[in-house]
Amino acid sequence: MRQGDQAFRRDDTMGRWPEMTYGGALSFLRRRYSRDLADVDVVVSGVPFDASVTNRPGCRFGPAAIRAASTQLAELKAFPFGFDPFETLAVTDWGDCMIDPHHPETVAPAIEAHAEAILASGARMLTLGGDHSISYPLLKAHAKAHGPVALLQFDAHCDTWEDDGTRMDHGTMFARAAAEGVIDVARSTQVGLRTFNDDDHGFEILTAPWLHRNGIDAALEVVRARAGDAPVYLSFDIDGLDPAFAPGTGTPVAGGLTSWQALEFVRGLKGLNLVGMDLVEVSPPYDHAEITAIAAATVAHDWLCLLAQAKGAEPRAVGRL
């Protein structure tokens, strides 16, 4: 039996073999590092960039932290799905997008080109950030591949504040994407917001207090009705969680969702046309006992399980779910 370091030792994309949880080469969920995209369903890559933050920095270290936090999730069959997603879904870890922070004008084009090259293969993308500004070039690349996308945004902030069309800012990029038609705003939903903006820019906004009062199922009904059969891009800012569950982030806001609410929400997206995802704003210097990174890794893991299920993986329940 082959054992250990499958991130660089394995020569295929399917299945997995035993690893020490606390040792071995780190990749996301122990997937093989590769840039061979033949027959790959999903490419995981990191974008270690945080020069657009407005408060605490550090999420350039997010991709590494999320990879490290994913090791336990690679040990057992996925909960609550009851299957190994990698028996069905071919997933590789590309590594990180190469960016030059010393030439900031090149960062967004580099991310967009990185995404375009991956999407051209037919694979979906799971991107680990990095600050939330990286979503703008990612969305542009996805819109080129799929047409305007329905944005499903999980966040404490609207990220649609006033934009001048050129600024690098993790709080304005969705206003720009909406203005440019990259996002189909009429099919888009923002979930978990608890900061104020004078303009909703046409998004449906499910605030954190509304979700606390009305529940996950009610939120999912709104999201499903709005998205329909449109290509859905999930942008998950970890600060959508309450700081009690995600202290390791740059702009924490009290009153957010719990980890279980976020996971139930993501697991409830089954059946939507999920074309891409980013998981952003994990800042390890402000984390405690990896709880933010573990939450982020689990959200990303469960999104992959939805794709595996859509490809034919059969869930198997044990216990009451």
Side-chain angles (χ1 to χ4, degrees):
M1 178 185 294
R2 294 179 292 178
Q3 298 181 343
D5 292 328
Q6 57 192 309
F8 65 87
R9 291 184 56 221
R10 69 178 309 128
D11 54 9
D12 58 2
T13 57
M14 306 298 290
R16 55 189 175 184
W17 66 58
E19 297 264 5
M20 295 182 293
T21 308
Y22 49 85
L26 294 176
S27 61
F28 187 67
L29 297 170
R30 304 290 194 181
R31 305 322 300 156
R32 178 178 68 144
Y33 277 115
S34 177
R35 298 192 176 182
D36 179 0
L37 302 184
D39 301 318
V40 172
D41 296 311
V42 184
V43 172
V44 181
S45 64
V47 182
F49 175 76
D50 66 0
S52 297
V53 299
T54 51
N55 191 18
R56 306 189 307 198
C59 55
R60 68 181 63 184
F61 303 112
I66 296 168
R67 287 184 174 104
S70 75
T71 56
Q72 279 197 112
L73 294 166
E75 286 185 316
L76 303 171
K77 289 182 179 178
F79 178 85
F81 302 91
F83 56 64
D84 174 358
F86 307 120
E87 291 180 355
T88 305
L89 198 68
V91 180
T92 60
D93 192 326
W94 173 282
D96 289 345
C97 173
M98 187 66 183
I99 55 177
D100 184 353
H102 306 292
H103 291 281
E105 75 282 357
T106 68
V107 171
I111 297 169
E112 185 176 352
H114 165 76
E116 286 181 357
I118 292 171
L119 294 172
S121 73
R124 289 179 172 86
M125 290 186 69
L126 168 57
T127 306
L128 311 177
D131 72 46
H132 215 159
S133 70
I134 71 170
S135 295
Y136 172 66
L138 291 169
L139 282 166
K140 288 179 68 177
H142 280 78
K144 288 178 183 177
H146 301 286
V149 298
L151 176 68
L152 178 52
Q153 177 189 351
F154 188 94
D155 209 318
H157 311 87
C158 60
D159 295 340
T160 55
W161 283 288
E162 187 175 353
D163 177 62
D164 63 9
T166 60
R167 62 190 291 118
M168 292 181 64
D169 188 332
H170 72 162
T172 64
M173 66 285 171
F174 291 143
R176 188 183 309 177
E180 294 178 353
V182 172
I183 297 170
D184 184 348
V185 178
R187 293 194 165 194
S188 299
T189 308
Q190 297 174 315
V191 178
L193 270 59
R194 49 197 188 276
T195 49
F196 188 80
N197 189 350
D198 287 315
D199 190 347
D200 64 14
H201 289 266
F203 288 92
E204 180 71 53
I205 299 175
L206 307 181
T207 68
W210 184 93
L211 197 145
H212 291 319
R213 290 194 303 270
N214 292 277
I216 301 299
D217 289 342
L220 288 169
E221 286 183 14
V222 174
V223 168
R224 289 181 175 281
R226 194 154 172 95
D229 60 357
V232 176
Y233 185 93
L234 173 59
S235 187
F236 196 105
D237 188 327
I238 203 65
D239 72 22
L241 298 180
D242 189 85
F245 301 90
T249 192
T251 48
V253 181
L257 275 65
T258 65
S259 297
W260 76 260
Q261 286 175 309
L263 292 170
E264 284 291 291
F265 181 84
V266 170
R267 292 165 185 166
L269 301 177
K270 175 187 173 184
L272 292 178
N273 181 16
L274 304 173
V275 298
M277 176 185 181
D278 61 57
L279 194 300
V280 297
E281 299 285 354
V282 173
S283 182
Y286 295 94
D287 207 359
H288 302 280
E290 298 181 287
I291 61 173
T292 309
I294 289 168
T298 308
V299 167
H301 166 272
D302 285 7
W303 185 79
L304 290 177
C305 288
L306 293 181
L307 299 186
Q309 197 170 350
K311 198 180 176 188
E314 292 288 343
R316 177 174 175 266
V318 175
R320 301 187 186 189
L321 293 175

